[in-house]
Amino acid sequence: MTPPLVAVAHGSRDPRSAATVRALVDVVRDRAPGLSVHESFLDLSTPRVTDVLRELYAAGHRTAVVVPLLLGTAFHARVDLPALVSSVTAECPGFRVQVSDVLGADPAALEAVALDRLSSAPRRRGTGVLLSAVGSSNASANAAVAGLAARWESRLGLPVTEAFASAAQPDIPAAAAQLWERGVKHLVVASWFLAPGLLPDRIARLAREADPGAFIAAPLADDPRVADAVIGRYATAVTELLRAGAHV
């Protein structure tokens, strides 16, 4: 059987987040007809990824591909998800689960979506961009966002700085202050989030406290290019399964 694709998102207490993930998975199904595609979550939303994997094994599948709907390689990608997958394979003999790279591992496709989200922002002198992301205790994950902001500054010809919702600096007020010091008068907030939720809401609130006229870009996941990125991650993971000698 062709390995099913199990898309796994973080999960959220905000129902908009899970609804957005399910809508994204529906687009993946439309763009990959004939492929068995399942949504799942690490926490806070259902179904949990462990439950989905166990159900696939019970249905006779002996391979599966998990695609993390994550934009960074922080704790959830490096620790939580591998541990959950290992807990399933340990109790399911002969079950091979290949975990793909996170969506943000090669940000080119998603970067185009995020930049396009800024196309409707007012074009005003003195504009600066806050590239908002979740933030992590993992320095390399935050550095990847900072690198993205630096590329955008060169590309856009505008001051750009990263801004994190939690766990890292600069936060929104500190990032806005950095831009004010550079002569910025108007904020545009870019989103490095897949779905709406509590953290994007916090970012929007703090940005509007700094600049009541701030433009807030929408998250990324309702763009078909995100679904294409999911399918691309799946295809790469299937190739890795074949190279490893798995029967798919």
Side-chain angles (χ1 to χ4, degrees):
M1 290 185 281
T2 301
L5 188 166
V6 180
V8 57
H10 179 273
S12 172
R13 292 182 179 87
D14 188 323
R16 295 174 298 165
S17 179
T20 300
V21 169
R22 293 188 176 98
L24 169 61
V25 171
D26 283 341
V27 177
V28 173
R29 291 188 184 103
D30 289 343
R31 297 173 88 82
L35 178 62
S36 176
V37 183
H38 306 263
E39 71 268 16
S40 69
F41 302 90
L42 293 173
D43 197 8
L44 302 174
S45 304
T46 56
R48 302 291 175 85
V49 63
T50 48
D51 293 334
V52 172
L53 290 173
R54 289 188 186 104
E55 289 169 4
L56 291 171
Y57 182 80
H61 289 278
R62 293 300 177 263
T63 56
V65 170
V66 171
V67 178
L69 303 183
L70 303 170
L71 296 183
T73 53
F75 188 84
H76 297 302
R78 293 182 297 105
V79 179
D80 278 351
L81 181 56
L84 291 170
V85 169
S86 293
S87 73
V88 174
T89 55
E91 63 188 55
C92 297
F95 194 23
R96 177 69 181 270
V97 178
Q98 185 77 21
V99 181
S100 80
D101 280 340
V102 299
L103 289 186
D106 176 9
L110 300 185
E111 188 175 357
V113 178
L115 285 168
D116 284 351
R117 290 283 195 260
L118 306 184
S119 61
S120 57
R123 299 185 179 277
R124 299 177 290 192
R125 274 190 175 181
T127 292
V129 178
L130 296 178
L131 175 56
S132 66
V134 61
S136 171
S137 58
N138 180 264
S140 63
N142 299 326
V145 178
L148 192 61
R151 290 200 301 276
W152 283 22
E153 178 158 326
S154 176
R155 178 171 178 172
L156 297 174
L158 298 171
V160 181
T161 187
E162 67 278 12
F164 299 108
S166 64
Q169 289 291 327
D171 59 11
I172 297 296
Q178 290 177 14
L179 291 180
W180 302 149
E181 291 174 0
R182 298 177 65 187
V184 166
K185 295 178 172 50
H186 308 288
L187 293 180
V188 166
V189 181
S191 178
W192 199 240
F193 288 87
L194 285 178
L198 301 179
L199 292 181
D201 284 354
R202 179 191 301 173
I203 285 168
R205 175 176 58 78
L206 291 172
R208 290 193 170 112
E209 288 176 3
D211 174 11
F215 173 88
I216 312 294
L220 310 180
D222 66 349
D223 191 290
R225 288 171 288 181
V226 179
D228 291 339
V230 173
I231 295 166
R233 290 285 182 264
Y234 170 83
T236 299
V238 169
T239 299
E240 291 169 355
L241 277 173
L242 291 170
R243 285 176 180 164
H247 298 288
V248 300

